């Protein structure tokens, strides 16, 4: 993904723990991380998300990347930084949010759905492009983007990704995948989240081995 992630094992996948509560956040994140997913995102529309982010960051090893999703404002960016977040993921492309994230020393991963948004995001300093919603844009659309984006631009589809559909995206040159309810949904146990994460890690490893 970005240079800061590519040097760490397990960062081809981002686990989106939407709805996780602080009381369970560390157990769920630990299970997912031990399954082999190196980047953990807690969306800000989860219950008390900043508490969860701070607790997860304190609990996981330094090789893990922990941050927030559904980040919509520069105030959100500041709060995520104060909680120890290292990556900011957004559903939309907001230049002010991107610039604030980069200025705070965090990884910026804005959502983009068109080539214009993708190029604007990169011009503002985004290090990773989140294709969202991936189901809407589709592999064919992103394949066309890849022919004009700067070489080696990290592109991560998010939305409707499963272990099976990853194979549709991989040949076009994406860098990884963001996975949400297919790994964790509110009420899932750590054991369930870990099991689902292992399925994605196995599928990702199989695709990577074909390179």
């Amino acid at each position: 993904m970005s240079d800061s992630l590519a040097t760490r094992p397990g960062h081809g996948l981002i686990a989106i723990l939407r709805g996780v509560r602080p009381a369970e956040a560390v157990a769920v994140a630990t299970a997912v991380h031990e399954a082999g997913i190196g980047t953990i995102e807690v969306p800000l529309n989860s219950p008390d998300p900043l508490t969860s982010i701070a607790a997860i960051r304190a609990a996981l090893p330094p090789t893990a990347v922990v941050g927030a999703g559904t980040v919509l404002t520069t105030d959100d960016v500041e709060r995520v930084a104060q909680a120890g977040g290292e990556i900011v993921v957004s559903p939309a492309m907001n230049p002010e949010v991107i610039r604030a994230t980069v200025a705070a020393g965090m990884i910026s991963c804005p959502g983009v759905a068109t080539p214009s948004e993708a190029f604007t995001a990169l011009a503002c300093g985004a290090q990773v492009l989140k294709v969202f919603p991936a189901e809407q844009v589709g592999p064919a659309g992103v394949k066309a983007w890849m022919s004009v984006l700067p070489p080696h631009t990290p592109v991560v589809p998010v939305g409707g990704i499963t272990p099976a559909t990853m194979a549709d995206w991989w040949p076009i040159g994406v860098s990884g995948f963001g996975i949400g309810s297919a790994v964790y949904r509110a009420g899932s146990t750590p054991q369930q989240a870990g099991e689902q994460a292992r399925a994605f890690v196995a599928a990702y490893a199989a695709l990577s081995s074909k390179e």
Side-chain angles (χ1 to χ4, degrees):
M1 296 166 72
S2 73
D3 289 343
S4 57
L5 292 181
T7 57
R8 310 183 193 183
H11 291 281
L13 300 174
I14 300 173
I16 304 166
L17 307 184
R18 189 178 306 279
V20 72
R21 297 178 181 276
E24 62 188 351
V26 168
V28 171
T30 298
V32 169
H33 183 263
E34 289 180 347
I37 296 181
T39 302
I40 307 294
E41 168 196 333
V42 178
L44 291 186
N45 57 1
S46 303
D48 199 0
L50 298 175
T51 298
S52 293
I53 290 169
I56 293 169
R57 176 61 285 168
L60 295 186
T63 51
V65 173
V66 180
T70 319
V71 179
L72 304 177
T73 69
T74 56
D75 287 342
D76 288 340
V77 172
E78 182 178 350
R79 287 192 286 266
V80 172
Q82 291 173 348
E86 300 156 294
I87 184 169
V88 165
V89 185
S90 301
M93 197 287 297
N94 182 324
E96 292 184 354
V97 168
I98 296 170
R99 294 189 184 105
T101 299
V102 175
M106 296 185 291
I107 299 165
S108 173
C109 182
V112 296
T114 68
S116 294
E117 290 182 344
F119 278 103
T120 300
L122 292 174
C124 291
Q127 296 104 320
V128 181
L129 299 180
K130 167 187 172 180
V131 179
F132 182 78
E135 300 144 302
Q136 175 181 317
V137 180
V142 176
K143 182 179 180 181
W145 297 11
M146 300 296 267
S147 67
V148 293
L149 288 174
H152 312 300
T153 297
V155 175
V156 178
V158 180
I161 302 299
T162 69
T165 61
M166 286 164 61
D168 298 329
W169 292 92
W170 193 250
I172 68 176
V174 299
S175 304
F177 302 90
I179 44 180
S181 60
V183 162
Y184 175 85
R185 63 179 68 234
S188 296
T189 66
Q191 292 75 19
Q192 290 169 332
E195 181 178 350
Q196 297 282 40
R198 282 190 289 275
F200 276 95
V201 170
Y204 184 82
L207 291 172
S208 299
S209 69
K210 297 177 182 178
E211 292 184 342

